[in-house]
Amino acid sequence: MSALAEPKKWERYFWPLVATALFLAVWRYSVLWSHTRIFPSPYEVERGMVELIHQHVLWGDIIDSLRRVAIGFGAAVLLGVPIGLTLGWYPAADQVVNPAMQILRPISPIAWIPVAIILFGVGDDAAIFLIFLGAYFPIVVACINGVSNVPSMYRRAGRNFGLTPAQLLRKVIFPAALPQILIGLRIALGIAWLVVVAAEMIAVDSGLGYLIIDSRNSGKRYDLVVAAMLLIGIIGLILDLAFRRLERIKSVRWGFRNAS
């Protein structure tokens, strides 16, 4: 059976545009047929988004949300990657830490909101802490699994070439585990973007999450609510596409450069 042909270049853009147009058409006519006075039409959402832009608040909210995600996700990467690599490299240490991690990992970051407010008060620190929690555990688990799944023959080959344990981890194990680690980082970034919206509804007074709850409470502006929701989805898509491109570039080129 022959492999499926890859889509042509124009199809990569044409069909998503067709799907978007169909979605907008279904949305518009659903609002018309239901005669709803609450849920806005695409035109009303567009008008609300223009209003936000003219009020010079939209870009500030977007920047605040991205800044919190960058800090929380960055801290999770800086702490989670070394810890995950260490636990994957030393299975005995992983057996000691694993029970506590498996208890904490399923707890939703949203459940930590009261604790975050007690520890950090209402503000950026609480939101960043929640983002950190949401991203930390997927990163650690991805690093542990990535190191554990490296074939043992790689380790034996590295030892035969006289590599020290540190050199073996840096030049052989880490490059081999890098594709799986990058997948974990991508998942963690998506979770961080989800968590920031919920955290901003409670812990701060800016950002896209705050924009949603404030628009709902201030005159029930559901056009602004849906506009903020669409922006969250669009930015999330852009972040995911950017990370996927980085993943394709770095997983092979950077990893095997260090392995050589």
Side-chain angles (χ1 to χ4, degrees), residues 181-255:
I181 293 174
L182 288 176
I183 293 175
L185 293 178
R186 178 184 166 196
I187 295 173
L189 180 60
I191 295 174
W193 187 243
L194 288 174
V195 173
V196 70
V197 176
E200 287 174 344
M201 290 183 177
I202 299 173
V204 295
D205 58 358
S206 65
L208 293 174
Y210 174 78
L211 176 60
I212 290 177
I213 200 70
D214 184 61
S215 300
R216 191 271 180 202
N217 293 335
S218 302
K220 296 184 178 180
R221 293 292 306 275
Y222 291 105
D223 55 336
L224 303 185
V225 171
V226 177
M229 291 170 60
L230 290 177
L231 281 173
I232 291 168
I234 292 171
I235 295 173
L237 174 62
I238 293 173
L239 291 175
D240 184 71
L241 291 175
F243 202 93
R244 289 173 64 181
R245 175 160 295 187
L246 176 66
E247 180 182 349
R248 288 195 298 267
I249 294 174
K250 294 297 184 182
S251 62
V252 175
R253 181 182 301 176
W254 188 91

Side-chain angles (χ1 to χ4, degrees), residues 69-84:
V69 169
I71 296 174
F73 178 74
V77 171
L78 291 176
L79 188 62
V81 171
I83 291 178

Side-chain angles (χ1 to χ4, degrees), residues 95-145:
Q95 291 179 359
V96 173
V97 177
N98 187 64
M101 187 170 64
Q102 294 304 326
I103 292 174
L104 295 174
R105 187 169 65 91
I107 301 176
S108 169
I110 309 305
W112 288 89
I113 288 178
V115 177
I117 293 177
I118 292 174
L119 294 176
F120 302 101
V122 176
D124 274 4
D125 292 342
I128 291 171
F129 173 72
L130 295 172
I131 296 166
F132 168 82
L133 284 178
Y136 173 75
F137 291 107
I139 292 174
V140 173
V141 171
C143 291
I144 294 174
N145 291 337

